[in-house]
Amino acid sequence: MLYRILAVGDVVGQSGVQHLKKNLRAVQKMYEISFTVVNGENAQMVGLNREDAEAMFAAGADVVTLGNHTFGRMQIGQFLDDCPYILRPANLGERAPGRGWGVYGCGGIEIGVMNLIGRVDMKNLSDNPFRTADKLLATADRPRFTLVDFHAEATSEKLAMAYYLDGRVSALWGTHTHVPTADEEVFPKGTGYIGDLGMTGPVRGVIGVEPQQSIEGFLGGLPGRYRDAGGACKLQGAVFTLDDATGLCTGVERIDIR
């Protein structure tokens, strides 16, 4: 039996949250989606709060993943401990609140979701994501499908991770750069891949931020706290078709809903 999994790119600002709420159910119906993972670390521009996380679940997200702005809103800490459906990067360290791996029911099968963060140009003190993936995949009880959100800056690091995990996970996608890549494919051993999903939020922004504010920063000024660009929005991501006979991927399709 084939299962269609939807991965949604970084939700940016309240514009992105509202666009997700308005469109996610329709997208799930259109593509006959069985399970949905949404990256939500930029819902508050820098970080996520409980209210927005719950709005994403109500909109149709099965799991919400995070990234380098996990603790941009420190009050999320307790919610990360309490809610098994929200994941922060597993390699942030054992002392950080929350978890980076979860197994979830989906009809008659189980789906594992892993959240990792890269180290190239990311200015974080995370553990090695490759070794962390090895440790998580060494667990005794393996779900039928395993999905990986690799929140990383460098295309090379994401691509290397995909080759490293090829055949050991069902699908791996990149998040963080907010720009969709045109490299979707099924790897030789059966892992579905795309370098970056893109983002969910303002079309006329600099990765979701008000353009003039971003320009001011590049001119050497003091742009201040990120401001949601607002206006027309897009929902970007990818659909992975997975085969429960093998636990691997048979196809990847980019989506862009405006």
Side-chain angles (χ1 to χ4, degrees), residues 19 24-25 33 40 62 64 74 79 88-89 113 119 126 142 159 164-165 173 199 207 211 234 238:
H19 192 65
L24 183 55
R25 295 288 185 187
I33 299 299
D62 292 293
V64 171
M74 292 300 294
F79 191 50
R88 49 82 174 163
V113 182
R119 298 201 295 184
S126 61
R142 290 288 302 277
L159 192 56
Y164 188 65
L165 297 181
W173 57 82
M199 59 165 276
I207 62 172
K234 57 192 174 185

Side-chain angles (χ1 to χ4, degrees), residues 68 92 117-126 153 176:
N68 58 305
L92 285 181
I117 191 169
R119 298 201 295 184
V120 177
D121 295 332
M122 288 292 281
K123 299 179 182 178
N124 66 73
L125 301 176
S126 61
E153 179 78 24
H176 177 64

Side-chain angles (χ1 to χ4, degrees), residues 17 20 58 73 77 111-112 138 166 185 198 217-218 230 244-245:
V17 174
L20 187 80
R73 295 289 183 269
I111 297 178
D166 186 21
E185 65 170 308
F218 285 110
D244 72 346

Side-chain angles (χ1 to χ4, degrees), residues 10-184:
D10 308 47
V11 176
V12 180
Q14 292 307 293
S15 296
V17 174
Q18 293 305 313
H19 192 65
L20 187 80
K21 290 169 64 177
K22 181 178 179 181
N23 292 283
L24 183 55
R25 295 288 185 187
V27 173
Q28 291 170 327
K29 183 177 181 180
M30 182 189 310
Y31 289 94
E32 300 180 327
I33 299 299
S34 300
F35 193 85
T36 301
V37 181
V38 175
N39 187 287
E41 73 141 14
N42 292 123
Q44 288 286 306
M45 301 306 290
V46 177
L48 173 70
N49 62 22
R50 181 172 184 149
E51 180 182 0
D52 287 335
E54 291 178 339
M56 291 179 198
F57 292 131
D62 292 293
V63 172
V64 171
T65 52
L66 300 171
N68 58 305
H69 293 312
T70 292
F71 300 111
R73 295 289 183 269
M74 292 300 294
Q75 62 268 36
I76 197 69
Q78 186 60 52
F79 191 50
L80 295 182
D81 283 333
D82 294 342
C83 180
Y85 300 99
I86 184 167
L87 302 176
R88 49 82 174 163
N91 54 321
L92 285 181
E94 295 180 358
R95 293 176 63 86
R99 58 192 62 77
W101 163 259
V103 178
Y104 311 95
C106 178
I109 63 165
E110 290 188 326
I111 297 178
V113 182
M114 183 188 307
N115 193 185
L116 298 170
I117 191 169
R119 298 201 295 184
V120 177
D121 295 332
M122 288 292 281
K123 299 179 182 178
N124 66 73
L125 301 176
S126 61
D127 296 331
N128 187 300
F130 292 77
R131 297 306 182 197
T132 299
D134 282 338
K135 291 176 184 177
L136 294 174
L137 293 174
T139 56
D141 298 322
R142 290 288 302 277
R144 194 63 190 136
F145 299 135
T146 300
L147 313 174
V148 182
D149 177 346
F150 190 24
H151 197 80
E153 179 78 24
T155 304
S156 57
E157 190 177 19
K158 299 177 191 182
L159 192 56
M161 180 68 81
Y163 276 109
Y164 188 65
L165 297 181
D166 186 21
R168 293 197 283 159
V169 302
S170 308
L172 182 150
W173 57 82
T175 55
H176 177 64
T177 61
H178 297 200
V179 179
T181 51
D183 58 351
E184 68 274 19

